[in-house]
Amino acid sequence: MSDPLTIETAAAGDIAAVMTVMTEAFDPAFGEAWNANQCLGILGLPGVWMLLARRAAEPLGFALARIVMDEAELLLLGVRPAHRRHGVGSKLLERVTAEAEARGAARLHLEVRDGNPALELYRARGFSQTGCRPDYYRGADGKSFDALSLTTVVKK
Ligand SMILES: CC(C)(COP(=O)(O)OP(=O)(O)OC[C@H]1O[C@@H](n2cnc3c(N)ncnc32)[C@H](O)[C@@H]1OP(=O)(O)O)[C@@H](O)C(=O)NCCC(=O)NCCS
């Protein structure tokens, strides 16, 4: 039997594990990954939290989020390619949503590159599009992509 998936709040001491996921999860063509200093910098701010999913000791995925007043935002969500489509991203998103609600959020927002398969996950989890920034992202090949703003209600 395989070890259970655990999702714990991550602290500064977990940054190496988070970066292991980060470097594998985000396609360098789009420059969406953050470096360790960026993560540590934001982690020190009020209302910011990070979750790390592991199986046994192995880090599989992470999420980074923040709340200001009653508006929460999912900043990053990543799962290592070899561990995708097994529900890790969904479980992290569920935990972010639950924690956002516990912290007093009315809504959870995020922004995603148009065409990112993550859109399927977000739409399936009740997010709907609230905005669009045309040509916000540019790939390594120079092709541009819109940034889509999505929102879900977390407190009914
Ligand atoms: C988006 C991401 C976090 C999803 O993680 P995951 O662990 O594979 O997600 P799940 O297994 O929970 O997927 C749940 C559902 O979302 C949808 N989904 C997820 N990835 C998908 C894909 N590549 N294509 C189509 N649908 C997808 C499916 O409906 C899936 O259910 P199913 O597997 O039963 O069909 C992962 O693909 C990732 O790290 N992507 C790169 C980083 C990124 O772009 N993050 C989002 C922007 S911050």
Side-chain angles (χ1 to χ4, degrees):
M1 217 168 80
S2 70
D3 290 305
L5 183 77
T6 62
I7 298 181
E8 306 284 352
T9 301
D14 298 305
I15 198 66
V18 169
M19 290 312 294
T20 301
V21 179
M22 184 90 73
T23 48
E24 283 188 25
F26 288 89
D27 185 342
F30 299 104
E32 292 165 350
W34 294 23
N35 65 36
N37 283 339
Q38 288 171 311
C39 293
L40 290 171
I42 200 165
L43 255 189
L45 299 179
V48 175
W49 73 99
M50 186 149 67
L51 299 173
L52 183 57
R54 296 180 193 261
R55 202 178 293 284
E58 190 187 6
L60 306 187
F62 79 98
L64 178 67
R66 73 174 160 203
I67 183 166
V68 177
M69 309 292 282
D70 63 352
E71 306 288 343
E73 184 179 12
L74 177 64
L75 298 167
L76 290 172
L77 173 69
V79 173
R80 294 168 84 176
H83 300 279
R84 289 183 187 162
R85 306 303 288 267
H86 293 294
V88 178
S90 300
K91 290 199 175 72
L92 281 163
L93 188 54
E94 270 167 32
R95 280 285 300 271
V96 167
T97 308
E99 179 138 358
E101 184 173 4
R103 288 170 178 249
R107 284 165 295 276
L108 176 61
H109 308 274
L110 61 87
E111 196 169 83
V112 62
R113 172 174 34 87
D114 195 10
N116 187 330
L119 267 166
E120 300 298 326
L121 168 62
Y122 298 139
R123 289 194 173 123
R125 295 293 176 280
F127 283 80
S128 51
Q129 190 178 330
T130 52
C132 175
R133 291 201 266 179
D135 298 331
Y136 183 76
Y137 295 96
R138 192 167 296 274
D141 61 359
K143 195 170 168 215
S144 59
F145 297 85
D146 297 347
L148 307 182
S149 305
L150 307 185
T151 296
T152 191
V153 172
V154 296
K155 190 168 271 179
K156 309 239 165 29

